[in-house]
Amino acid sequence: MAGVDQVHRCSAAFRSSAAVFLFFLSSGLSFASSEPHLGSARVVFQTNFGDIEFGFFPDIAPKTVDHIFKLVRLGCYNTNHFFRIDKGFVAQVADVVGGRTAPMNEKQQLEAEKTVIGEFSRVKHVRGILSMGRFSDPDSASSSFSILLGDAPHLDGEYAIFGKVTKGEDILRKLEEVPTHREGIFVMPTERISILATYYYDEKEESCEWEKTNLKRKLAESAMEVERQRMRCLP
């Protein structure tokens, strides 16, 4: 009977494991990492402390990504600044409407005044994540966003995550060493941390261009080798 009981237990365990596996399949979840898909677009903020590069999560927050990327393409973040540096918590970019030193043109102003709906997700607020700032209205995010300088689980599901830092961890560490002072709930740098300029590129296109150039070089070398062999071996 002990053998029969063991068979029953093994059978039940198998059915339980199979049910869990089927649940993952039906729900679209994966046993792999829950890291969201990172698109190929990259944005670089050139600050007076160095360059910080960002990538975006278009599947997680498509409207937010489109809005931020359009602001970058229009040059809205140029001459803006980080108004908040709270070590171990966030480095927050100012709203471009009031944070720039240069005036905005009509097209920039129009885009900067737009707000996006709160695209909240299950992605965690950990160091390097980009998270939109907003007021109490969940759909009030516009152009201010934070770079997480540490884990902040109390923000999970409350603020829209739309990307992460892909290069510039050394610059984040420099920012954390800037002297600060407190104004109300905000910890602010005592010196202006300026976003001098911004630019963007696409990793996929850059990679394809390199591969195309490399292929052309290899084909040219092959053609030269064929010609050398023809001249040596053929009359």
Side-chain angles (χ1 to χ4, degrees):
M1 290 298 291
V4 173
D5 288 342
Q6 186 174 8
V7 169
H8 280 302
R9 286 196 297 272
C10 289
S11 177
F14 176 79
R15 288 196 300 272
S16 176
S17 298
V20 171
F21 180 71
L22 288 173
F23 166 75
F24 270 87
L25 289 179
S26 63
S27 62
L29 298 175
S30 168
F31 289 104
S33 171
S34 59
E35 174 78 12
H37 166 68
L38 189 68
S40 58
R42 296 290 182 269
V43 163
V44 178
F45 278 13
Q46 297 183 295
T47 79
N48 54 329
F49 280 75
D51 292 1
I52 307 173
E53 182 188 278
F54 312 124
F56 298 117
F57 299 143
D59 297 340
I60 297 297
K63 293 184 185 299
T64 304
V65 169
D66 285 348
H67 176 62
I68 295 295
F69 199 48
K70 189 169 184 180
L71 289 171
V72 171
R73 292 200 308 272
L74 290 172
C76 292
Y77 286 101
N78 296 349
T79 76
N80 197 18
H81 69 119
F82 287 85
F83 82 93
R84 181 182 188 185
I85 301 291
D86 198 337
K87 186 174 183 178
F89 183 36
V90 296
Q92 189 168 353
V93 177
D95 190 295
V96 298
V97 172
R100 287 166 46 107
T101 56
M104 287 194 289
N105 60 39
E106 186 177 345
K107 199 168 186 179
Q108 290 172 326
Q109 188 80 33
L110 186 65
E111 189 63 30
E113 290 175 352
K114 292 180 180 178
T115 56
V116 287
I117 62 170
E119 296 178 299
F120 309 123
S121 67
R122 294 185 179 181
V123 181
K124 303 298 184 185
H125 282 77
V126 296
R127 187 176 178 89
I129 281 291
L130 308 182
S131 180
M132 289 299 289
R134 64 174 177 83
F135 297 106
S136 57
D137 180 352
D139 299 329
S140 60
S142 59
S143 61
S144 177
F145 66 88
S146 295
I147 303 172
L148 271 292
L149 299 177
D151 297 353
H154 63 287
L155 303 181
D156 292 348
E158 299 293 329
Y159 293 85
I161 287 173
F162 65 96
K164 71 174 185 178
V165 172
T166 48
K167 291 179 184 177
E169 172 61 29
D170 56 327
I171 307 306
L172 297 186
R173 288 196 295 270
K174 286 182 183 179
L175 296 185
E176 288 186 291
E177 297 308 315
V178 172
T180 58
H181 66 283
R182 181 175 289 277
E183 289 190 18
I185 64 169
F186 297 121
V187 177
M188 307 170 75
T190 56
E191 61 180 288
R192 185 177 176 89
I193 301 173
S194 297
I195 300 168
L196 306 172
T198 62
Y199 68 90
Y200 59 91
Y201 69 97
D202 193 299
E203 274 207 333
K204 190 179 294 182
E205 289 179 6
E206 293 289 317
S207 176
C208 287
E209 188 61 35
W210 181 86
E211 289 173 3
K212 186 168 68 175
T213 302
N214 198 36
L215 180 59
K216 283 182 179 178
R217 180 181 59 78
K218 288 181 178 179
L219 288 173
E221 290 173 352
S222 297
M224 291 172 63
E225 181 61 26
V226 168
E227 182 62 16
R228 280 197 296 268
Q229 292 297 330
R230 187 191 69 76
M231 293 177 66
R232 186 170 65 87
C233 299
L234 300 176

